[in-house]
């Protein structure tokens, strides 16, 4: 029996990278999983190999109606939603093969990063909260970054989006406090070998973390009951020490 037996877990950005790793692990732990991202074909491939029940529900996290449909389909299929992992995210690194300073960033690129990384989290969280409040139980896990706690030059939109996400996490925690909902931020604790770093040379990609780095911490967070730790943010390893 896994730790998440029969729980319903939605993972955004489940088509690849860290999201794919977390959805596979949640399924191994006995959860019924909902995979969402834009690339339906890739999610179908991931879902085929999962040991348990799953639902592939494509959506762009920036599209409120599409996000609502994912949650509606989840409720129709599984009747509840225990955990939402807000993992979908973009960085300009992939778009420009490196860092970009503010004077070079277009308004469109700013909007894309903020809308995917921050507005998308708002839209998905808004859609699941009524169900979690009704159940008087739920976990919202927001995938942040070390750049949610400090800044670097050349990643302005990403840094801003993740700092915003940290604040939003605390708001969700405060509003959910007496209604059984925990909200926390989780980050890998360093660079992870996913498509975000596709522009790096192979030797460098081999040195960075593997995409399963947050799996243990995500399971511990998802397994928390209504009175769990809430409103906190830390890297995977620290969560493992705190909750393990
Ligand atoms: P990735 O491999 O590029 O995966 C990003 C995921 O987000 C994909 O599944 C993608 O799916 C989805 N996505 C992107 N735009 C979307 C949109 N508009 N609507 C719906 N889904 C969208 O990146 P990753 O490294 O796994 O990143 C996952 C999370 O970890 C992000 O929040 C990132 O900021 C965070 N993080 C990553 C690192 C790292 O070093 N890799 C470090 C710290 C934090 P589709 O393209 O199919 O839509």
């Amino acid at each position: 029996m896994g730790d998440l037996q029969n729980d319903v877990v939605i993972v955004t950005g489940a088509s690849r990278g860290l999201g794919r790793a977390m959805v596979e692990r949640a399924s191994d732990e006995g959860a019924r999983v909902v995979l969402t991202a834009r690339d339906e074909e890739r999610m179908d491939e991931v879902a085929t190999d999962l040991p348990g029940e799953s639902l592939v529900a494509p959506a762009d996290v920036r599209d409120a109606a599409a996000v609502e449909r994912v949650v509606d389909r989840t409720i129709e299929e599984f009747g509840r939603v225990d955990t939402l992992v807000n993992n979908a995210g973009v960085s300009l690194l992939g778009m420009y093969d490196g860092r970009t300073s503010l004077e070079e960033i277009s308004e469109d690129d700013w909007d894309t990063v903020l809308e995917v990384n921050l507005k998308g989290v708002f839209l998905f969280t808004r859609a699941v909260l009524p169900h979690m409040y009704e159940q008087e139980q739920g976990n919202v896990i927001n995938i942040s970054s070390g750049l949610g706690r400090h800044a670097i030059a050349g990643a302005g939109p990403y840094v801003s989006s993740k700092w915003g996400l940290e604040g939003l996490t605390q708001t969700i925690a405060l509003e959910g406090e007496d209604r059984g909902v925990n909200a926390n931020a989780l980050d890998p604790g360093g660079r992870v070998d996913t498509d975000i770093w596709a522009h790096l040379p192979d030797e460098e990609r081999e040195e960075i973390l593997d995409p399963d780095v947050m799996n243990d911490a995500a399971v511990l967070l998802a397994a928390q009951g209504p009175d769990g730790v809430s409103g906190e943010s830390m890297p995977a390893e620290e969560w493992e020490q705190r909750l393990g």
Side-chain angles (χ1 to χ4, degrees), residues 67-110:
V67 167
E68 293 286 344
R69 272 197 302 279
V70 173
V71 176
D72 288 349
R73 287 184 63 192
T74 302
I75 299 299
E76 276 163 31
E77 184 84 10
F78 298 131
R80 57 186 290 117
V81 52
D82 296 285
T83 293
L84 168 66
V85 184
N86 283 308
N87 162 79
V90 291
S91 109
L92 290 183
L93 290 169
M95 297 185 203
Y96 297 109
D97 291 356
R99 295 188 186 184
T100 316
S101 54
L102 288 173
E103 76 278 13
E104 293 167 313
I105 291 167
S106 71
E107 189 178 347
D108 279 353
D109 287 344
W110 172 273

Side-chain angles (χ1 to χ4, degrees), residues 12-20 22 36-40 42-43 59-63 86-91 112 115-117 124 143-147 158 161-162 165 186-197 208 211 214:
T12 75
S15 55
R16 51 196 157 90
L18 290 153
R20 175 186 178 154
M22 287 187 285
T36 186
R38 292 165 302 176
D39 189 336
E40 186 169 10
R42 287 186 83 144
M43 290 190 289
D60 187 317
V61 292
R62 296 167 290 185
D63 178 343
N86 283 308
N87 162 79
V90 291
S91 109
T112 300
E115 284 182 11
V116 175
N117 295 6
F124 251 105
I143 302 308
S144 188
S145 161
L147 297 182
Y158 188 81
S161 71
K162 294 299 187 185
L165 180 64
L186 161 66
D187 67 271
R191 295 184 301 171
V192 187
D193 188 10
T194 67
D195 288 353
I196 281 192
W197 297 103
I208 61 183
M214 296 193 295

Side-chain angles (χ1 to χ4, degrees), residues 21-232:
M22 287 187 285
V23 94
E24 288 172 342
R25 177 62 182 277
S27 184
D28 285 344
E29 295 289 334
R32 295 172 284 172
V33 293
V34 180
L35 295 80
T36 186
R38 292 165 302 176
D39 189 336
E40 186 169 10
E41 211 173 306
R42 287 186 83 144
M43 290 190 289
D44 281 338
E45 282 169 29
V46 176
T48 310
D49 294 328
L50 296 174
E53 282 183 80
S54 64
L55 171 69
V56 170
D60 187 317
V61 292
R62 296 167 290 185
D63 178 343
V67 167
E68 293 286 344
R69 272 197 302 279
V70 173
V71 176
D72 288 349
R73 287 184 63 192
T74 302
I75 299 299
E76 276 163 31
E77 184 84 10
F78 298 131
R80 57 186 290 117
V81 52
D82 296 285
T83 293
L84 168 66
V85 184
N86 283 308
N87 162 79
V90 291
S91 109
L92 290 183
L93 290 169
M95 297 185 203
Y96 297 109
D97 291 356
R99 295 188 186 184
T100 316
S101 54
L102 288 173
E103 76 278 13
E104 293 167 313
I105 291 167
S106 71
E107 189 178 347
D108 279 353
D109 287 344
W110 172 273
D111 286 347
T112 300
V113 176
L114 268 291
E115 284 182 11
V116 175
N117 295 6
L118 191 52
K119 182 181 174 186
V121 174
F122 157 64
L123 292 176
F124 251 105
T125 305
R126 184 179 68 169
V128 301
L129 281 177
H131 302 287
M132 291 183 172
Y133 288 159
E134 201 182 308
Q135 297 161 192
E136 297 180 356
Q137 191 235 314
N139 284 295
V140 177
I141 304 172
N142 291 335
I143 302 308
S144 188
S145 161
L147 297 182
R149 290 184 292 268
H150 66 268
I152 55 166
Y158 188 81
V159 166
S160 304
S161 71
K162 294 299 187 185
W163 282 58
L165 180 64
E166 296 281 330
L168 180 58
T169 305
Q170 293 194 17
T171 300
I172 303 164
L174 289 167
E175 294 184 5
E177 206 166 44
D178 300 321
R179 298 195 256 189
V181 173
N182 310 308
N184 291 289
L186 161 66
D187 67 271
R191 295 184 301 171
V192 187
D193 188 10
T194 67
D195 288 353
I196 281 192
W197 297 103
H199 58 288
L200 289 181
D202 283 351
E203 316 85 75
E204 209 171 323
R205 288 190 71 170
E206 277 163 23
E207 285 168 14
I208 61 183
L209 298 162
D210 290 327
D212 63 0
V213 61
M214 296 193 295
N215 289 2
D216 288 347
V219 170
L220 289 166
L221 282 163
Q224 288 206 111
D227 294 322
V229 176
S230 192
E232 301 218 15

